Amino acid sequence: MCREGSLLGSRHRVLLLGVLLAAWEAAWGQLRYSVPEEMPKGSFVGDVAKDLGLQLPALSDRGVRVVSEGRTQYFALHGKTGHLVTAERIDREQLCRLVEKCVLRCELIVEGEMKIYRIEVEITDINDNAPSFKEVELEERISEMTAPGSRFPLAEAHDPDSGRNSLQSYELSGDEHFSLAVQAGPGGDQRPELVLAKALDREEAAFHELVLKAMDGGDPARTGTARIRVTVLDANDNAPVFSQAEYTVRVPEDVPVGSVLVTVTAMDADEGVNGQVKYSLKKVSDLASNIFNLDSETGAITLLRSLDYEEGDSYELEVQARDGGGLYDTAKIMITVTDINDNAPVISVRSALSEISEDAPSGTVVALLHVQDRDTGTNGAVTCSLYRGLPFRLEKSFDDYYRVVTARELDREQVSEYNVTVRAADGGSPSLQSSAVLALRVLDVNDNAPVFAEERYSARLAENNAAGALVLTVRATDADWGQNARVRYRLREGRVRGAPLSSYVSVQAETGALYALRSLDYEQVRELRLWVLAEDGGAPALSSNVSVLLQIVDENDNAPQVLYPPAAAAGSGSGSGGAWWSGVELAPRWSEAGALVAKVVAVDADAGQNAWLSYELAKATEPGLFRVGLHSGEVRTARSPLARDAARQSLVVVVKDHGRPALSATATLSVVLAESVAELLAELGSAADEAAAPAEPAGSLTRWLVLAVAAVSCLFLAFLLLLLALRVRRWRRQQLLPPASGALRGVPVSHFVGIDGVRAFLQSYSHDVSLTADSRKSQLRFSASGSCCDTLPARPLPDEPAPLLGDQDPAGAIPVDPSAPSVFVDFFNAPMETLHSEAPGSGAGAEPRPKPGPLERGHPAAAVARRRLRVSLLAAAERRWSLCRRRRSVLPPQAARSPGAGHSGSGTASSSSS
């Protein structure tokens, strides 16, 4: 327990010393720590984050990692604490066999900042190895004639530890004839020797057993032992002697396996068994014993495996020559290995970027490289370089570290990817080279605006195009990549004839196709000038624009328009689409040939060839009298007018354009030929009268004929409907009012005497009353049949009072039909005595009564009777009118006929009342 506590205390002191050294070295960009060997995995080495001033959250963000030299990674960085810890169990004796001070180097790489910090960790020794002998059973052969004080070298013990933990002393025990002496070697090592303290006597003891103990200086100390058997021999006069006390050999490291490096020779002057010499290696390391072999008979040292200068540059061997009598001699052999250029430089990429933005500034670190050549001297001098023409350069950081940095700004549009080849060559002859390739992709930055394929675009589009017709396609490319190279198109705002430009044309955002949204008319818009904007998808977006000229191509879609002579008010279109025109021109009969009569003026809204007009005389009253200029439209006389030529000439001029197909219009000219002013005025007057006369066009005549046929049809249909209505009305009246009763037929007139008799006689007749809605006009009609009524005279009374139902004239109030006398009229107009004296069936020749009765005209009682009769008739009419109103219909008057009567009479009276 005490020994373990002291061991832990020594480890803590070593760690404290390492931490102090690390704090001092951190200021110089290099950290140094110390850690004992054989520490378990994950043991604390040093607080790297604290010593370098790195924040713990930034360790993972910046990509901090530790890289060790060699294939085995002995250290790692704890991500949460920022501590440097051991990644493997470290054995100092295995790593540093030939080195007194064992130091392991590693680098801390901060990839986010492209920085390197060198870390050196010294591996301190602990006493973990005990001294050991190569052979635990040693045999010595000594002659009995050997003088006391003679020394015999013994095999040395080996302790891989260093310092105090290495081999410190030897002890010998077992026999008084021998003692132990320790000699210091050239390298400070201890060489044990067996000293003969007392003369030997073979007859007394033929063998002696000894124990050799080797001890180190550790705490606690470790020991190793070997048993020595000494054999006493008979007398041997001469010992073997080497030809050289020390052999020195220099061999290149590429010497073939099996080659003899050196041969040692020892001579013995004795004969027989005492003169036979055997060779053996007395002092050799474990590594050397695996590389070299000594032939015990010949003394030749051969190579067992290939030498490596980087593994060991020198070896020291001790060879012993022993004869058969036990006498020996020793010699030292120094084998020096010379370096050859057998190792090419090794390039290790400690940190590298796989992507870099094209706008990265010059001097940006792209990669960190470590270059090492295991050779020495000139063979290990390494020169690094890059291929020319690349925008990169090499910078040496420290020792064997290099940085690859950008030499200028990059342009992804020129080169999007780089394969940067780093070459390393040593100074050997021949030179060995190696290379490493760094693949670097340049990230795009939106630094290029879209570029159109043409500086300006123009297209021609025929007018009257279909809506949605493709006009042209603009195309722009962007040298950037990805979203930054995605181009979209749109129109810049503008107006055409007061309307937005977007109502005329549109551009497809993805393809750049330009479409016409409406049918274009050359006569309204002859060209469209617009700007198309191309914009990429970067942030911020870059854009460019291009001008587009859209020319509308004229088509022959407009017929010529005649300006003179002016258009007639009732002109009609021709089959070719033109209009008929009319005018009156004056020409004297004495005009000569070629005299200008008139000029037809026409224009065409089209352009170019479609607007070139030509004039032709299509029709004339007198052919050959006039001619028309082909291009001027001037009407001139082709000859002088003759007396037989009509005074009024009608000319039809056709105006044509040169389109395909050609369109035309016609103009009609009326030319008046006259010899004097009087004739001229007469012709003008007659022409004016004809112009003023309404001319019925064919279309108007047809329209009137259609209207007449329709009117006749409507009248016939109305007549049928009226006839049907009358028939229905008669049928309904017959259903509502049964025929008048004929109960009074054949009653003698004498029975109706006095007022009561007259009233009873009148009630035997059917009567109808018709009243208007405004109560201003009323009609009363009585109808009766019977022969007795035919005898009543139909003459007006001289003193007839006002009409019964109004203020109308008595003569016009009750019209009298001579052919059909009415009982009502006869009753009021005839003398009362006639009613008392005439009997039914009396003729016209009956004698009148000589003296009027009391009811006759002129009698005082007659006026009273008439007034009473009028009141009763009015009351009857009102009752009848009320009945008809309740039935919601007004019945027309109807004459009631008595069966068997010879003829009937009717009377009608009308009056108006307020």
Side-chain angles (χ1 to χ4, degrees):
M1 291 295 291
C2 294
R3 287 185 300 176
E4 292 181 358
S6 61
L7 180 60
L8 289 176
S10 62
R11 290 184 178 181
H12 290 165
R13 286 192 297 270
V14 171
L15 285 175
L16 180 60
L17 179 61
V19 171
L20 293 177
L21 290 175
W24 181 79
E25 293 288 346
W28 298 95
Q30 183 173 346
L31 300 179
R32 291 186 179 180
Y33 298 102
S34 179
V35 63
E37 65 172 335
E38 301 294 340
M39 294 289 287
K41 182 179 179 180
S43 299
F44 174 79
V45 177
D47 193 346
V48 174
K50 180 180 179 182
D51 296 338
L52 294 178
L54 300 176
Q55 300 297 327
L56 293 181
L59 293 178
S60 57
D61 297 339
R62 298 181 182 179
V64 180
R65 59 190 180 94
V66 175
V67 178
S68 301
E69 295 180 358
R71 299 180 179 178
T72 305
Q73 299 295 322
Y74 291 101
F75 303 101
L77 185 67
H78 196 283
K80 295 183 178 180
T81 61
H83 295 168
L84 185 67
V85 297
T86 57
E88 296 290 341
R89 196 176 190 91
I90 302 174
D91 187 1
R92 180 188 178 279
E93 288 73 30
Q94 181 181 1
L95 295 176
C96 309
R97 285 192 299 265
L98 305 177
V99 181
E100 182 68 22
K101 186 177 183 180
C102 184
V103 177
L104 296 181
R105 294 177 176 83
C106 60
E107 289 82 26
L108 179 70
I109 300 176
V110 183
E111 294 186 352
E113 300 177 358
M114 285 295 176
K115 292 183 178 179
I116 297 178
Y117 299 93
R118 170 162 288 187
I119 301 175
E120 293 184 355
V121 180
E122 182 181 359
I123 309 301
T124 58
D125 183 57
I126 62 172
N127 192 20
D128 58 339
N129 293 281
S132 62
F133 292 92
K134 184 178 180 182
E135 297 178 358
V136 296
E137 296 288 338
L138 302 177
E139 183 177 359
E140 291 291 338
R141 301 171 68 87
I142 302 175
S143 173
E144 61 178 346
M145 298 301 294
T146 303
S150 299
R151 296 173 178 267
F152 302 92
L154 298 176
E156 297 180 9
H158 177 68
D159 193 336
D161 295 328
S162 62
R164 291 183 55 84
N165 297 324
S166 63
L167 180 63
Q168 297 295 326
S169 61
Y170 292 93
E171 291 183 359
L172 184 63
S173 61
D175 199 325
E176 60 182 1
H177 291 84
F178 299 93
S179 63
L180 182 64
V182 178
Q183 300 292 331
D189 56 332
Q190 296 183 6
R191 298 181 177 182
E193 293 180 351
L194 184 63
V195 179
L196 182 60
K198 185 178 179 181
L200 299 175
D201 187 356
R202 187 174 183 279
E203 288 74 15
E204 181 180 351
F207 300 96
H208 296 272
E209 299 289 340
L210 305 175
V211 175
L212 180 63
K213 180 187 295 184
M215 295 175 295
D216 59 21
D219 187 11
R222 293 177 177 268
T223 61
T225 59
R227 299 180 65 86
I228 302 174
R229 182 182 178 88
V230 179
T231 303
V232 181
L233 302 175
D234 288 338
N236 185 12
D237 297 335
N238 298 289
V241 178
F242 280 99
S243 59
Q244 298 179 20
E246 183 174 343
Y247 293 87
T248 302
V249 180
R250 297 178 64 88
V251 294
E253 61 177 329
D254 61 345
V255 64
V257 177
S259 300
V260 177
L261 302 182
V262 64
T263 301
V264 295
T265 305
M267 303 297 295
D268 193 324
D270 294 329
E271 294 181 356
V273 177
N274 294 332
Q276 295 178 356
V277 179
K278 298 290 186 180
Y279 302 96
S280 62
L281 293 175
K282 285 299 183 181
K283 183 181 179 182
V284 62
S285 62
D286 294 337
L287 178 61
S289 61
N290 295 327
I291 299 176
F292 306 105
N293 179 52
L294 176 62
D295 190 337
S296 62
E297 297 294 336
T298 62
I301 298 177
T302 59
L303 190 64
L304 294 178
R305 65 179 181 86
S306 298
L307 295 174
D308 189 356
Y309 175 84
E310 292 70 33
E311 184 177 325
D313 58 350
S314 64
Y315 299 92
E316 183 179 348
L317 307 177
E318 189 172 313
V319 181
Q320 185 181 66
R322 183 183 294 271
D323 59 15
L327 299 180
Y328 63 91
D329 190 13
T330 60
K332 184 178 180 180
I333 301 175
M334 292 296 297
I335 301 176
T336 302
V337 181
T338 59
D339 182 41
I340 63 171
N341 192 23
D342 60 342
N343 292 283
V346 177
I347 302 175
S348 301
V349 180
R350 298 303 193 196
S351 179
L353 298 179
S354 60
E355 298 175 345
I356 185 172
S357 178
E358 64 175 326
D359 61 348
S362 177
T364 302
V365 179
V366 176
L368 293 174
L369 307 177
H370 179 262
V371 182
Q372 184 181 16
D373 194 323
R374 298 182 62 187
D375 296 326
T376 59
T378 305
N379 296 331
V382 180
T383 302
C384 296
S385 62
L386 297 176
Y387 285 118
R388 295 181 179 180
L390 296 178
F392 303 97
R393 67 174 184 269
L394 275 175
E395 294 181 354
K396 189 169 184 178
S397 298
F398 56 86
D399 293 343
D400 300 329
Y401 276 90
Y402 293 86
R403 296 189 304 174
V404 180
V405 299
T406 57
R408 62 176 183 270
E409 291 186 355
L410 305 178
D411 189 356
R412 192 208 67 84
E413 287 70 39
Q414 294 183 0
V415 180
S416 60
E417 291 184 356
Y418 289 95
N419 290 324
V420 183
T421 302
V422 182
R423 298 174 60 252
D426 58 23
S429 182
S431 177
L432 298 181
Q433 299 179 356
S434 63
S435 62
V437 179
L438 303 175
L440 185 63
R441 185 163 63 95
V442 182
L443 298 180
D444 182 54
V445 175
N446 192 24
D447 56 348
N448 291 277
V451 177
F452 283 93
E454 300 180 16
E455 292 184 359
R456 59 184 59 87
Y457 289 86
S458 62
R460 297 170 61 87
L461 179 64
E463 65 173 334
N464 303 321
N465 59 283
L470 176 64
V471 178
L472 80 162
T473 300
V474 298
R475 180 171 181 79
T477 57
D478 196 314
D480 294 324
W481 181 82
Q483 185 68 21
N484 295 331
R486 183 180 180 182
V487 180
R488 296 179 65 87
Y489 305 89
R490 60 185 177 90
L491 288 177
R492 289 183 59 180
E493 295 297 333
R495 303 189 72 83
V496 177
R497 298 176 59 89
L501 179 63
S502 57
S503 64
Y504 283 84
V505 292
S506 69
V507 63
Q508 215 284 333
E510 299 294 337
T511 63
L514 195 67
Y515 296 95
L517 297 181
R518 62 169 66 177
S519 180
L520 301 177
D521 189 358
Y522 174 82
E523 288 71 36
Q524 295 182 359
V525 180
R526 299 203 172 188
E527 65 179 24
L528 290 177
R529 292 185 180 271
L530 51 98
W531 290 86
V532 177
L533 185 71
E535 189 175 62
D536 59 24
L542 300 179
S543 62
S544 61
N545 48 41
V546 68
S547 65
V548 178
L549 175 61
L550 177 58
Q551 295 178 338
I552 312 302
V553 179
D554 181 50
E555 287 188 345
N556 192 26
D557 58 343
N558 291 280
Q561 183 180 3
V562 178
L563 301 180
Y564 186 85
S572 60
S574 64
S576 61
W580 288 91
W581 299 78
S582 65
V584 178
E585 300 294 336
L586 306 177
R589 285 186 176 272
W590 59 82
S591 299
E592 297 180 355
L596 179 63
V597 176
K599 182 176 182 179
V600 178
V601 179
V603 294
D604 196 317
D606 295 324
Q609 184 176 351
N610 297 327
W612 295 351
L613 302 180
S614 61
Y615 303 85
E616 296 178 4
L617 183 60
K619 183 178 180 182
T621 303
E622 189 67 34
L625 180 57
F626 299 97
R627 59 182 174 85
V628 179
L630 180 62
H631 299 293
S632 63
E634 295 178 348
V635 179
R636 297 180 180 271
T637 56
R639 60 177 174 80
S640 297
L642 303 176
R644 60 180 175 81
D645 294 333
R648 282 186 290 175
Q649 298 286 332
S650 178
L651 305 179
V652 178
V653 179
V654 177
V655 184
K656 294 183 179 179
D657 57 23
H658 286 69
R660 293 185 180 179
L663 300 180
S664 63
T666 58
T668 302
L669 286 173
S670 295
V671 181
V672 178
L673 301 177
E675 292 183 353
S676 63
V677 176
E679 184 181 357
L680 176 62
L681 294 177
E683 291 296 335
L684 289 177
S686 61
D689 293 339
E690 293 178 2
E696 190 72 25
S700 178
L701 179 61
T702 303
R703 184 166 56 253
W704 283 111
L705 289 176
V706 172
L707 289 177
V709 173
V712 172
S713 300
C714 291
L715 289 176
F716 179 72
L717 181 61
F719 174 75
L720 293 180
L721 293 177
L722 180 60
L723 183 61
L724 180 61
L726 292 177
R727 298 290 296 178
V728 172
R729 185 175 182 180
R730 174 175 290 183
W731 176 78
R732 289 188 62 188
R733 187 180 61 186
Q734 290 177 358
Q735 295 296 327
L736 294 175
L737 297 177
S741 177
L744 299 178
R745 192 182 312 172
V747 178
V749 180
S750 60
H751 293 176
F752 299 95
V753 179
I755 297 301
D756 295 334
V758 173
R759 183 181 302 160
F761 175 79
L762 294 175
Q763 291 178 353
S764 65
Y765 292 89
S766 297
H767 58 273
D768 293 330
V769 177
S770 297
L771 300 177
T772 61
D774 55 359
S775 301
R776 293 183 58 87
K777 294 184 178 181
S778 302
Q779 291 183 356
L780 178 63
R781 182 176 182 181
F782 292 89
S783 298
S785 63
S787 59
C788 60
C789 299
D790 297 336
T791 59
L792 296 177
R795 61 182 181 271
L797 298 178
D799 55 351
E800 183 67 20
L804 181 63
L805 296 178
D807 299 332
Q808 300 175 356
D809 188 352
I814 306 177
V816 178
D817 188 1
S819 62
S822 176
V823 175
F824 179 77
V825 175
D826 293 341
F827 175 77
F828 282 100
N829 295 333
M832 293 300 296
E833 59 270 15
T834 307
L835 296 176
H836 293 281
S837 61
E838 292 183 353
S842 300
E847 296 180 358
R849 297 180 66 178
K851 185 180 182 179
L855 294 178
E856 292 180 355
R857 188 170 182 176
H859 195 278
V864 176
R866 281 193 292 271
R867 284 194 298 268
R868 291 180 178 178
L869 179 59
R870 183 182 298 175
V871 172
S872 62
L873 290 176
L874 289 174
E878 288 176 358
R879 286 193 301 270
R880 186 75 175 188
W881 179 74
S882 300
L883 179 61
C884 294
R885 186 177 182 182
R886 283 193 301 270
R887 292 181 179 177
R888 298 175 180 239
S889 64
V890 178
L891 297 178
Q894 181 181 3
R897 296 181 179 270
S898 299
H903 65 273
S904 61
S906 64
T908 302
S910 63
S911 64
S912 61
S913 60
S914 56

